[in-house]
Amino acid sequence: MQRNKRVVISGSPGSGKTAVIEGLKNKEYSIFQEFSRSLIKDYQSRGITNLFLSAPLKFSEQLLEVREKQFIDSEKIFQAKSQVVFFDRGIHDTYAYLKAVGQENFNFKEKVYSFEYDLVFLLTPWEKIFKKDNERLENFSQAKMYYPYIKEAYSIQHKVIELPYGSVEERVFFIESFMNNNNNNNG
């Protein structure tokens, strides 16, 4: 039995990742939601506004633990549509963010790069749709700063496809078309 393909949807904060993930979910694909928002809310309820900036390694370790579990759990999905599971951000994002704030760590990097996805779609910074909220603490300039680190983190060992701007439906169609057209090359 062939294992499910693991596909990451990542990129700049506020670039439409979660909307694309929801669009894929609405088309009955198996998805794993982003966990960092839950983690941020949890720490905000304890009076810590931005754990990532105050303790980047602690935040990233907790995030990595959940993303590793998602990676492993993706094998337990037996009815995945087209045998594909999508992730709203992946394991490599944790290292990219640490590197972006000057907190890269060799042991952390080594652990992150022991995991590999089948394909990565990146959403570039898009000011037109960017919105700051209670969990997205960056302004657009700060959010844009993370993108090259995310792209580099995945490009080292993955095929990376930049998703063009467009509506959620157009972006989902692009992903499905790309995967259908390259099915023989990704499996």
Side-chain angles (χ1 to χ4, degrees):
M1 183 165 151
Q2 185 180 5
R3 72 165 176 80
N4 292 324
K5 292 180 184 170
R6 296 176 178 112
V7 180
V8 173
I9 308 294
S10 189
S12 182
S15 58
K17 293 175 307 306
T18 301
V20 169
I21 283 288
E22 286 301 313
L24 290 162
K25 181 180 176 182
N26 291 340
K27 295 198 88 172
E28 299 183 4
Y29 286 98
S30 298
I31 59 120
F32 282 97
Q33 301 280 355
E34 167 61 273
F35 180 72
S36 63
R37 285 181 167 270
S38 298
L39 193 57
I40 291 166
K41 281 181 189 177
D42 178 43
Y43 277 93
Q44 286 175 339
S45 73
R46 299 185 218 177
I48 300 170
T49 304
N50 192 334
L51 181 64
F52 177 69
L53 289 183
S54 61
L57 191 56
K58 179 179 180 179
F59 180 87
S60 298
E61 285 171 342
Q62 291 178 15
L63 198 53
L64 179 61
E65 184 178 319
V66 172
R67 289 186 179 156
E68 283 179 23
K69 183 178 179 336
Q70 290 177 338
F71 186 93
I72 293 163
D73 287 350
S74 70
E75 284 308 305
K76 298 173 186 170
I77 300 172
F78 296 110
Q79 299 296 325
K81 181 178 178 180
S82 304
Q83 287 191 293
V84 177
V85 177
F86 290 95
F87 298 81
D88 187 346
R89 294 204 181 277
I91 292 168
H92 297 66
D93 284 80
T94 56
Y95 177 68
Y97 272 69
L98 283 175
K99 191 170 182 182
V101 297
Q103 296 291 315
E104 63 185 298
N105 171 302
F106 177 76
N107 292 331
F108 200 88
K109 178 182 180 182
E110 191 173 54
K111 186 169 190 173
V112 164
Y113 282 100
S114 69
F115 292 90
E116 189 170 347
Y117 296 92
D118 295 292
L119 188 59
V120 178
F121 288 97
L122 292 184
L123 285 74
T124 58
W126 192 4
E127 191 167 17
K128 179 181 175 184
I129 67 167
F130 179 86
K131 289 184 181 132
K132 193 172 177 179
D133 59 33
N134 290 336
E135 293 84 43
R136 181 174 300 117
L137 305 171
E138 309 92 350
N139 61 35
F140 180 72
S141 181
Q142 293 164 325
K144 189 168 70 170
M145 179 268 305
Y146 288 110
Y147 185 77
Y149 293 98
I150 296 166
K151 185 175 182 179
E152 176 189 39
Y154 283 106
S155 295
I156 289 171
Q157 71 184 141
H158 297 93
K159 180 171 186 158
V160 173
I161 309 301
E162 287 187 330
L163 205 58
Y165 296 139
S167 69
V168 171
E169 294 78 15
E170 290 167 334
R171 288 172 144 193
V172 168
F173 178 78
F174 179 91
I175 291 168
E176 289 182 310
S177 297
F178 183 90
M179 293 185 68
N180 288 334
N181 291 335
N182 293 281
N183 194 27
N184 294 331
N185 298 331
N186 289 332

